[in-house]
PDB file of all heavy atoms in Angstrom:
ATOM      1  N   GLU A  66      22.242   5.432  32.327  1.00  0.00           N
ATOM      2  CA  GLU A  66      22.055   6.585  33.202  1.00  0.00           C
ATOM      3  C   GLU A  66      20.591   6.998  33.377  1.00  0.00           C
ATOM      4  O   GLU A  66      20.229   7.530  34.435  1.00  0.00           O
ATOM      5  CB  GLU A  66      22.868   7.763  32.664  1.00  0.00           C
ATOM      6  CG  GLU A  66      24.365   7.501  32.644  1.00  0.00           C
ATOM      7  CD  GLU A  66      25.164   8.703  32.159  1.00  0.00           C
ATOM      8  OE1 GLU A  66      24.536   9.758  31.867  1.00  0.00           O
ATOM      9  OE2 GLU A  66      26.403   8.599  32.079  1.00  0.00           O
ATOM     10  N   ILE A  67      19.782   6.814  32.350  1.00  0.00           N
ATOM     11  CA  ILE A  67      18.368   7.226  32.416  1.00  0.00           C
ATOM     12  C   ILE A  67      17.477   6.022  32.683  1.00  0.00           C
ATOM     13  O   ILE A  67      16.659   6.025  33.601  1.00  0.00           O
ATOM     14  CB  ILE A  67      17.946   7.932  31.110  1.00  0.00           C
ATOM     15  CG1 ILE A  67      18.829   9.158  30.861  1.00  0.00           C
ATOM     16  CG2 ILE A  67      16.470   8.336  31.172  1.00  0.00           C
ATOM     17  CD1 ILE A  67      18.647   9.778  29.486  1.00  0.00           C
ATOM     18  N   GLY A  68      17.632   4.978  31.872  1.00  0.00           N
ATOM     19  CA  GLY A  68      16.848   3.771  32.052  1.00  0.00           C
ATOM     20  C   GLY A  68      15.383   3.964  31.720  1.00  0.00           C
ATOM     21  O   GLY A  68      14.969   5.007  31.194  1.00  0.00           O
ATOM     22  N   LEU A  69      14.592   2.956  32.016  1.00  0.00           N
ATOM     23  CA  LEU A  69      13.155   2.982  31.737  1.00  0.00           C
ATOM     24  C   LEU A  69      12.372   2.662  33.001  1.00  0.00           C
ATOM     25  O   LEU A  69      12.871   1.993  33.915  1.00  0.00           O
ATOM     26  CB  LEU A  69      12.785   1.974  30.641  1.00  0.00           C
ATOM     27  CG  LEU A  69      13.110   2.360  29.195  1.00  0.00           C
ATOM     28  CD1 LEU A  69      14.581   2.118  28.874  1.00  0.00           C
ATOM     29  CD2 LEU A  69      12.234   1.593  28.203  1.00  0.00           C
ATOM     30  N   ILE A  70      11.119   3.095  33.018  1.00  0.00           N
ATOM     31  CA  ILE A  70      10.236   2.892  34.163  1.00  0.00           C
ATOM     32  C   ILE A  70       8.959   2.205  33.700  1.00  0.00           C
ATOM     33  O   ILE A  70       8.669   2.141  32.501  1.00  0.00           O
ATOM     34  CB  ILE A  70       9.921   4.252  34.846  1.00  0.00           C
ATOM     35  CG1 ILE A  70       9.366   4.046  36.254  1.00  0.00           C
ATOM     36  CG2 ILE A  70       9.003   5.112  33.987  1.00  0.00           C
ATOM     37  CD1 ILE A  70       9.257   5.336  37.063  1.00  0.00           C
ATOM     38  N   ASP A  71       8.203   1.664  34.653  1.00  0.00           N
ATOM     39  CA  ASP A  71       6.842   1.158  34.462  1.00  0.00           C
ATOM     40  C   ASP A  71       6.759  -0.222  33.832  1.00  0.00           C
ATOM     41  O   ASP A  71       5.712  -0.598  33.284  1.00  0.00           O
ATOM     42  CB  ASP A  71       5.989   2.140  33.645  1.00  0.00           C
ATOM     43  CG  ASP A  71       5.638   3.392  34.426  1.00  0.00           C
ATOM     44  OD1 ASP A  71       5.802   3.380  35.658  1.00  0.00           O
ATOM     45  OD2 ASP A  71       5.215   4.382  33.799  1.00  0.00           O
ATOM     46  N   ILE A  86      19.427  -3.112  36.776  1.00  0.00           N
ATOM     47  CA  ILE A  86      19.494  -2.541  38.123  1.00  0.00           C
ATOM     48  C   ILE A  86      18.244  -1.702  38.362  1.00  0.00           C
ATOM     49  O   ILE A  86      17.961  -0.752  37.618  1.00  0.00           O
ATOM     50  CB  ILE A  86      20.754  -1.667  38.278  1.00  0.00           C
ATOM     51  CG1 ILE A  86      22.013  -2.521  38.049  1.00  0.00           C
ATOM     52  CG2 ILE A  86      20.777  -1.007  39.651  1.00  0.00           C
ATOM     53  CD1 ILE A  86      23.282  -1.698  37.903  1.00  0.00           C
ATOM     54  N   LEU A  87      17.483  -2.063  39.407  1.00  0.00           N
ATOM     55  CA  LEU A  87      16.285  -1.310  39.770  1.00  0.00           C
ATOM     56  C   LEU A  87      16.668  -0.257  40.803  1.00  0.00           C
ATOM     57  O   LEU A  87      17.114  -0.566  41.910  1.00  0.00           O
ATOM     58  CB  LEU A  87      15.219  -2.250  40.336  1.00  0.00           C
ATOM     59  CG  LEU A  87      13.886  -1.602  40.714  1.00  0.00           C
ATOM     60  CD1 LEU A  87      13.198  -1.010  39.481  1.00  0.00           C
ATOM     61  CD2 LEU A  87      12.966  -2.613  41.402  1.00  0.00           C
ATOM     62  N   GLY A  88      16.481   1.015  40.436  1.00  0.00           N
ATOM     63  CA  GLY A  88      16.863   2.105  41.316  1.00  0.00           C
ATOM     64  C   GLY A  88      15.775   2.481  42.305  1.00  0.00           C
ATOM     65  O   GLY A  88      14.624   2.014  42.213  1.00  0.00           O
ATOM     66  N   ASP A  89      16.126   3.347  43.263  1.00  0.00           N
ATOM     67  CA  ASP A  89      15.151   3.831  44.241  1.00  0.00           C
ATOM     68  C   ASP A  89      14.031   4.619  43.572  1.00  0.00           C
ATOM     69  O   ASP A  89      12.952   4.785  44.147  1.00  0.00           O
ATOM     70  CB  ASP A  89      15.858   4.708  45.283  1.00  0.00           C
ATOM     71  CG  ASP A  89      16.835   3.909  46.146  1.00  0.00           C
ATOM     72  OD1 ASP A  89      16.666   2.675  46.238  1.00  0.00           O
ATOM     73  OD2 ASP A  89      17.766   4.524  46.703  1.00  0.00           O
ATOM     74  N   ASP A  90      14.295   5.135  42.387  1.00  0.00           N
ATOM     75  CA  ASP A  90      13.270   5.874  41.638  1.00  0.00           C
ATOM     76  C   ASP A  90      12.408   4.947  40.782  1.00  0.00           C
ATOM     77  O   ASP A  90      11.618   5.410  39.953  1.00  0.00           O
ATOM     78  CB  ASP A  90      13.919   6.941  40.757  1.00  0.00           C
ATOM     79  CG  ASP A  90      14.960   6.364  39.800  1.00  0.00           C
ATOM     80  OD1 ASP A  90      15.181   5.125  39.792  1.00  0.00           O
ATOM     81  OD2 ASP A  90      15.567   7.147  39.029  1.00  0.00           O
ATOM     82  N   ASN A  91      12.569   3.619  40.977  1.00  0.00           N
ATOM     83  CA  ASN A  91      11.815   2.587  40.254  1.00  0.00           C
ATOM     84  C   ASN A  91      12.142   2.522  38.764  1.00  0.00           C
ATOM     85  O   ASN A  91      11.403   1.902  38.000  1.00  0.00           O
ATOM     86  CB  ASN A  91      10.295   2.769  40.445  1.00  0.00           C
ATOM     87  CG  ASN A  91       9.853   2.414  41.848  1.00  0.00           C
ATOM     88  OD1 ASN A  91      10.356   1.448  42.437  1.00  0.00           O
ATOM     89  ND2 ASN A  91       8.927   3.181  42.395  1.00  0.00           N
ATOM     90  N   ARG A  92      13.242   3.139  38.367  1.00  0.00           N
ATOM     91  CA  ARG A  92      13.670   3.021  36.974  1.00  0.00           C
ATOM     92  C   ARG A  92      14.660   1.858  36.846  1.00  0.00           C
ATOM     93  O   ARG A  92      15.561   1.680  37.681  1.00  0.00           O
ATOM     94  CB  ARG A  92      14.322   4.318  36.483  1.00  0.00           C
ATOM     95  CG  ARG A  92      13.409   5.531  36.520  1.00  0.00           C
ATOM     96  CD  ARG A  92      14.049   6.728  35.833  1.00  0.00           C
ATOM     97  NE  ARG A  92      14.012   6.584  34.381  1.00  0.00           N
ATOM     98  CZ  ARG A  92      13.003   6.995  33.604  1.00  0.00           C
ATOM     99  NH1 ARG A  92      11.942   7.576  34.139  1.00  0.00           N
ATOM    100  NH2 ARG A  92      13.067   6.837  32.302  1.00  0.00           N
ATOM    101  N   LEU A  93      14.474   1.087  35.784  1.00  0.00           N
ATOM    102  CA  LEU A  93      15.408   0.014  35.470  1.00  0.00           C
ATOM    103  C   LEU A  93      16.534   0.584  34.623  1.00  0.00           C
ATOM    104  O   LEU A  93      16.285   1.240  33.608  1.00  0.00           O
ATOM    105  CB  LEU A  93      14.708  -1.099  34.687  1.00  0.00           C
ATOM    106  CG  LEU A  93      13.946  -2.160  35.476  1.00  0.00           C
ATOM    107  CD1 LEU A  93      13.154  -3.026  34.504  1.00  0.00           C
ATOM    108  CD2 LEU A  93      14.888  -3.021  36.297  1.00  0.00           C
ATOM    109  N   ARG A  94      17.761   0.337  35.043  1.00  0.00           N
ATOM    110  CA  ARG A  94      18.914   0.766  34.263  1.00  0.00           C
ATOM    111  C   ARG A  94      19.679  -0.463  33.781  1.00  0.00           C
ATOM    112  O   ARG A  94      19.694  -1.497  34.459  1.00  0.00           O
ATOM    113  CB  ARG A  94      19.788   1.712  35.088  1.00  0.00           C
ATOM    114  CG  ARG A  94      19.080   3.053  35.336  1.00  0.00           C
ATOM    115  CD  ARG A  94      19.866   3.976  36.246  1.00  0.00           C
ATOM    116  NE  ARG A  94      19.215   5.295  36.318  1.00  0.00           N
ATOM    117  CZ  ARG A  94      18.213   5.593  37.149  1.00  0.00           C
ATOM    118  NH1 ARG A  94      17.744   4.683  37.976  1.00  0.00           N
ATOM    119  NH2 ARG A  94      17.685   6.802  37.141  1.00  0.00           N
ATOM    120  N   PRO A 246       8.727   9.148  26.139  1.00  0.00           N
ATOM    121  CA  PRO A 246      10.139   8.794  26.196  1.00  0.00           C
ATOM    122  C   PRO A 246      10.491   7.879  27.359  1.00  0.00           C
ATOM    123  O   PRO A 246      10.184   8.174  28.517  1.00  0.00           O
ATOM    124  CB  PRO A 246      10.823  10.161  26.364  1.00  0.00           C
ATOM    125  CG  PRO A 246       9.826  10.998  27.121  1.00  0.00           C
ATOM    126  CD  PRO A 246       8.468  10.514  26.669  1.00  0.00           C
ATOM    127  N   MET A 247      11.116   6.740  27.058  1.00  0.00           N
ATOM    128  CA  MET A 247      11.819   5.879  28.001  1.00  0.00           C
ATOM    129  C   MET A 247      10.920   5.361  29.120  1.00  0.00           C
ATOM    130  O   MET A 247      11.289   5.348  30.300  1.00  0.00           O
ATOM    131  CB  MET A 247      13.034   6.625  28.570  1.00  0.00           C
ATOM    132  CG  MET A 247      14.026   7.125  27.520  1.00  0.00           C
ATOM    133  SD  MET A 247      14.888   5.814  26.619  1.00  0.00           S
ATOM    134  CE  MET A 247      16.171   5.380  27.784  1.00  0.00           C
ATOM    135  N   LYS A 248       9.723   4.907  28.746  1.00  0.00           N
ATOM    136  CA  LYS A 248       8.836   4.252  29.700  1.00  0.00           C
ATOM    137  C   LYS A 248       8.296   2.980  29.069  1.00  0.00           C
ATOM    138  O   LYS A 248       7.936   2.965  27.887  1.00  0.00           O
ATOM    139  CB  LYS A 248       7.658   5.152  30.096  1.00  0.00           C
ATOM    140  CG  LYS A 248       8.037   6.383  30.881  1.00  0.00           C
ATOM    141  CD  LYS A 248       6.807   7.036  31.520  1.00  0.00           C
ATOM    142  CE  LYS A 248       5.809   7.516  30.487  1.00  0.00           C
ATOM    143  NZ  LYS A 248       4.653   8.211  31.107  1.00  0.00           N
TER     144      LYS A 248
END
Side-chain angles (χ1 to χ4, degrees):
E66 297 182 2
I67 301 170
L69 283 80
I70 197 170
D71 289 345
I86 300 168
L87 182 63
D89 294 338
D90 56 1
N91 289 321
R92 299 188 75 89
L93 276 171
R94 291 175 173 85
M247 303 294 279
K248 293 194 298 183

